[in-house]
Amino acid sequence: MSILIISEPNDTHAHSIITALGKHKVSDVHSLDFSNFSALMSMNLALSVRDSGKFWLQIGQNKLIDSTEISAVWWRRPQNYRQHIQSLKPLSRHFAMTEPTSLHGLWQDNHCLWVNNVVRDAAAAHRPWQLELAKQCGLRVPDTLLTTTADRVKQFWQRYHGEIIYKPLLQAFRSEYETRKMKPEEFAQIDKVQLEPILFQQWIRGTAYIRATIIGTEILTAAVDMDKNMPFHTTQSSSVHYRRHSLTAIMQDRLLLFMKQICLEYGVIDLCLRPDGEYVFLESHSAGEFLTVERTCQLPISDKLAKHLARNNASKIPPVPVDKKAA
């Protein structure tokens, strides 16, 4: 059986998992870069009364992948399709860029293990939904305001004495500074800005920043002590030294319930530990990075994820039932 890793060519996390799979004697691993689609990749699908509907993916000249032989897919960081479209008109260019995304349905048709399911992965990137699910699972979340109105931002600013952050509604893994603390000079210009929907939150003062990496039902947790002026995004730096951290049984249960509700096999959840010992949910990343935590804490994250991908009886999203009468 084959394992597919769909990511960019220089992704060090993908390379780490490929190495870990090799240690577990899993050699049939294919790394796919969708930006090469139609240039270095081609596919064929046969679907009829006689044919089963499986498809084949041709990579270069020598690699042919049969969909029925795929046991697991790590939907890590798929790249945009790149066509030779510079000479096309705008409408044709848009069609050429978006049409290949219909392949996502084909990828999921063989019901193998998806880490993570494409549809679930896309939905999980919406921060307002994350926050609502976290609340339903018993997790505390920061006071949050989603608005397009400058007056509401002013009220929020005053309520928290200027201690607020802002971030986009949708996560984008390439944005290094997604979460920002609002500066006084930015607030002073708020009346001059025509706001798009923006998510504002109270700035959480904490003693430690927690990263919980969740693979199936396993949680590997690390913490870094927070300087009072340290922005959250600096904790992603490779220079930050994490230490192992133990969550309470109640917190572990709540995080696993969150993962079950959001339907993800893998995710990294960011928490803030307050001085009173309470954890505050910040956000979840379905393609969250883990190598810094793994290296500084000696946590076996790559090994755990490789085992999960290679495990035949891992949980799967069931196929949608077909109404035979309607058919």
Side-chain angles (χ1 to χ4, degrees):
M1 301 295 284
S2 301
I3 293 177
L4 304 185
I5 297 178
I6 300 174
S7 188
E8 55 189 330
N10 298 321
D11 182 9
T12 54
H13 287 70
H15 297 164
S16 180
I17 296 302
I18 292 172
T19 300
L21 286 168
K23 292 179 180 178
H24 290 287
K25 311 301 182 184
V26 180
S27 58
D28 194 10
V29 182
H30 307 282
S31 182
L32 303 185
D33 173 18
F34 276 175
S35 64
N36 289 325
F37 183 78
S38 81
L40 300 177
M41 298 165 58
S42 61
M43 59 85 61
N44 289 286
L45 167 71
L47 183 60
S48 68
V49 174
R50 299 180 304 278
D51 299 306
S52 63
K54 70 177 181 178
F55 70 94
W56 292 265
L57 183 67
Q58 180 79 40
I59 306 175
Q61 297 294 321
N62 302 317
K63 190 180 294 184
L64 184 66
I65 301 175
D66 183 338
S67 64
T68 61
E69 293 299 315
I70 300 172
S71 60
V73 180
W74 188 22
W75 187 258
R76 162 68 181 161
R77 286 187 171 175
Q79 300 300 292
N80 291 329
Y81 299 100
R82 296 173 189 167
Q83 304 271 358
H84 300 289
I85 59 174
Q86 289 77 6
S87 61
L88 298 179
K89 294 181 180 179
L91 184 60
S92 298
R93 185 183 304 117
H94 176 75
F95 179 82
M97 289 295 292
T98 57
E99 185 68 5
T101 60
S102 62
L103 289 174
H104 295 174
L106 294 178
W107 284 108
Q108 297 174 90
D109 193 46
N110 63 346
H111 313 308
C112 67
L113 171 65
W114 279 82
V115 181
N116 290 300
N117 176 279
V118 176
V119 175
R120 305 299 192 186
D121 191 89
H126 292 262
R127 288 189 170 102
W129 187 46
Q130 290 185 14
L131 292 167
E132 181 58 35
L133 281 182
K135 282 181 58 181
Q136 293 176 16
C137 295
L139 296 163
R140 176 166 181 168
V141 300
D143 284 353
T144 301
L145 171 68
L146 196 166
T147 186
T148 61
T149 307
D151 285 343
R152 294 296 303 275
V153 180
K154 292 177 182 179
Q155 294 171 10
F156 201 68
W157 172 275
Q158 292 169 358
R159 183 187 309 164
Y160 294 106
H161 308 287
E163 297 285 288
I164 66 174
I165 62 172
Y166 63 96
K167 57 178 74 171
L169 305 185
L170 189 66
Q171 288 176 335
F173 63 78
R174 286 194 174 281
S175 179
E176 188 174 359
Y177 299 105
E178 278 199 299
T179 301
R180 305 188 186 196
K181 188 175 181 183
M182 179 168 276
K183 300 176 182 178
E185 55 267 31
E186 292 175 319
F187 176 73
Q189 302 294 319
I190 198 70
D191 283 322
K192 299 179 181 180
V193 178
Q194 182 65 43
L195 295 181
E196 295 290 333
I198 300 175
L199 191 145
F200 297 90
Q201 289 182 322
Q202 67 177 124
W203 175 260
I204 303 295
R205 294 291 185 182
T207 59
Y209 173 89
I210 312 297
R211 285 195 71 111
T213 303
I214 303 178
I215 304 165
T217 58
E218 296 192 71
I219 305 177
L220 298 97
T221 312
V224 59
D225 293 331
M226 291 179 63
D227 181 270
K228 64 180 181 178
N229 295 314
M230 182 178 68
F232 291 139
H233 65 254
T234 61
T235 57
Q236 306 308 309
S237 170
S238 59
S239 62
V240 173
H241 187 78
Y242 283 88
R243 53 181 169 78
R244 292 194 180 202
H245 182 80
S246 297
L247 293 170
T248 63
I250 292 177
M251 273 302 298
Q252 291 186 53
D253 289 343
R254 289 173 179 173
L255 293 182
L256 291 177
L257 178 60
F258 173 84
M259 293 293 287
K260 181 179 180 180
Q261 294 293 83
I262 208 167
C263 299
L264 297 180
E265 292 281 341
Y266 167 86
V268 174
I269 295 179
D270 293 336
L271 306 165
C272 181
L273 179 60
R274 291 165 26 120
D276 61 4
E278 185 174 21
Y279 293 93
V280 180
F281 174 93
L282 300 179
E283 60 184 308
S284 169
H285 308 266
S286 60
E289 298 188 353
F290 56 82
L291 287 182
T292 297
V293 168
E294 180 174 78
R295 291 164 180 167
T296 58
C297 298
Q298 299 300 304
L299 286 171
I301 299 175
S302 293
D303 185 74
K304 296 286 188 182
L305 183 51
K307 285 182 179 178
H308 192 68
L309 288 167
R311 190 178 299 140
N312 290 329
N313 62 346
S315 60
K316 304 177 180 64
I317 301 295
V320 177
V322 176
D323 187 339
K324 293 183 179 178
K325 294 182 179 179

